[in-house]
């Protein structure tokens, strides 16, 4: 029995490492229209090992389960940390974004997708270990497929919403109301505007996820508010909607170049 369990553990550890590597190749393609398909395909491929993981945790006595979760929680962070240390220092900042995005949009959501209580606990501990080991210079937060998919479906002004939230403003604050009207009553009325919105929705969720991982996220959002959002609102008030459009898209392009 012990040998079978050891073999199962070895297989799970190896496959978790393979999962990290394979899903890392999909990070650059994280987009609204492709996310569901990539997630589903990856999850189906790795579902057997995820089921084995659930079974292993279920069969472990309660007094031993915490130790097992602790051991398993080290696998991916330790593996990713070793990979990162082998990279040239000049590449680590760029790879850090990819590593954290991989964990946030694929690996962690895979682990808690079944809503299994033990796997949920494991996924949360992995996030803690990842940050404790400082695998990257960014901060990883716990995430789920449902949260990401719902964000793609329902959030209408991703970056504006994130900026206002970090400025401790309500969802129906003046700035949000003005920008939503600008989107609906100006951008949505032309083919060019609708195309801008479509392209924006493809990249904005990824930008916000990466911004939220930054240690100085609060300072970044404050700068975005002062440099872009507030001037955009003022331009709209002055009837200069074309200038607002240009300024807002300049912000998106700058963020895209810097973080994606």
């Amino acid at each position: 029995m012990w040998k079978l369990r050891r073999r199962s553990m070895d297989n799970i550890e190896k496959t978790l490492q393979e999962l990290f590597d394979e899903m890392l190749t999909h990070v650059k393609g994280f987009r609204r229209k492709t996310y569901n398909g990539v997630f589903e395909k990856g999850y189906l491929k790795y579902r057997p090992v995820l089921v084995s993981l659930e079974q292993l945790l279920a069969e472990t006595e309660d007094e031993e389960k915490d130790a097992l979760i602790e051991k398993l929680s080290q696998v991916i962070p330790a593996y990713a940390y070793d990979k990162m240390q082998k990279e040239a220092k000049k590449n680590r900042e760029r790879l850090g974004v990819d590593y954290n995005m991989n964990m946030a949009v694929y690996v962690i959501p895979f682990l808690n997708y079944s809503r299994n209580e033990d796997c949920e606990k494991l996924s949360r501990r992995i996030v803690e270990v990842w940050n404790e080991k400082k695998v990257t210079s960014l901060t990883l937060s716990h995430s789920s497929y449902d949260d990401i998919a719902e964000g793609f479906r329902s959030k209408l002004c991703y970056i504006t919403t994130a900026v206002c939230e970090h400025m401790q403003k309500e969802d129906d604050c003046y700035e949000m109301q003005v920008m939503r009207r600008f989107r609906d009553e100006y951008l949505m009325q032309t083919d060019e505007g609708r195309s801008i919105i479509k392209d924006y929705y493809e990249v904005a969720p990824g930008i916000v996820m990466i911004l939220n991982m930054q240690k100085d996220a609060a300072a970044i959002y404050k700068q975005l508010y002062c440099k872009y959002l507030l001037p955009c609102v003022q331009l709209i008030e002055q009837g200069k909607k074309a200038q607002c459009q240009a300024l807002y898209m300049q912000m998106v392009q700058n963020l895209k170049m810097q973080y994606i």
Side-chain angles (χ1 to χ4, degrees), residues 171-188:
D171 185 62
D172 62 347
C173 67
Y174 178 70
E175 292 90 339
M176 287 296 300
Q177 292 182 42
V178 170
M179 293 304 294
R180 283 173 176 149
R181 286 198 300 271
F182 170 72
R183 177 199 64 208
D184 296 338
E185 299 174 6
Y186 181 74
L187 291 179
M188 286 296 292

Side-chain angles (χ1 to χ4, degrees), residues 103-166:
M103 295 295 289
V105 302
Y106 295 120
V107 177
I108 296 302
F110 277 2
L111 289 168
N112 60 49
Y113 186 66
S114 67
R115 296 184 175 84
N116 176 273
E117 184 177 346
D118 291 330
C119 288
E120 172 81 14
K121 186 174 181 179
L122 172 61
S123 69
R124 291 188 178 278
R125 181 56 186 150
I126 288 174
V127 170
E128 293 173 350
V129 173
W130 182 276
N131 290 327
E132 290 166 2
K133 288 184 71 66
K134 293 181 168 51
V135 178
T136 73
S137 62
L138 305 174
T139 301
L140 180 64
S141 298
H142 194 261
S143 55
S144 71
Y145 169 81
D146 288 342
D147 288 342
I148 296 170
E150 180 61 27
F152 276 130
R153 287 192 294 268
S154 64
K155 285 199 180 283
L156 301 177
C157 298
Y158 296 96
I159 299 175
T160 302
T161 299
V163 170
C164 288
E165 285 178 351
H166 278 77

Side-chain angles (χ1 to χ4, degrees), residues 187 196 199-200 244-254:
L187 291 179
I196 288 172
D199 292 342
Y200 169 75
C244 170
Q245 174 182 316
L247 180 59
Y248 199 87
M249 296 318 298
Q250 178 188 333
M251 175 191 73
V252 174
Q253 187 62 27
N254 289 345

Side-chain angles (χ1 to χ4, degrees), residues 15-30 34-47 49-50 76 79 83 97-111 145:
T15 310
L16 287 176
Q17 293 170 354
E18 291 173 355
L19 182 155
F20 179 85
D21 283 339
E22 178 166 347
M23 300 316 297
L24 184 62
T25 66
H26 295 287
V27 166
K28 292 299 186 184
F30 176 63
T34 58
Y35 177 64
N36 289 353
V38 173
F39 183 93
E40 181 179 348
K41 184 177 180 180
Y43 181 78
L44 288 175
K45 178 176 180 177
Y46 287 97
R47 188 173 184 277
V49 75
L50 295 171
I76 293 177
Y79 178 70
K83 283 173 66 73
V97 172
D98 291 349
Y99 276 29
N100 269 49
M101 283 293 287
N102 184 29
M103 295 295 289
V105 302
Y106 295 120
V107 177
I108 296 302
F110 277 2
L111 289 168
Y145 169 81

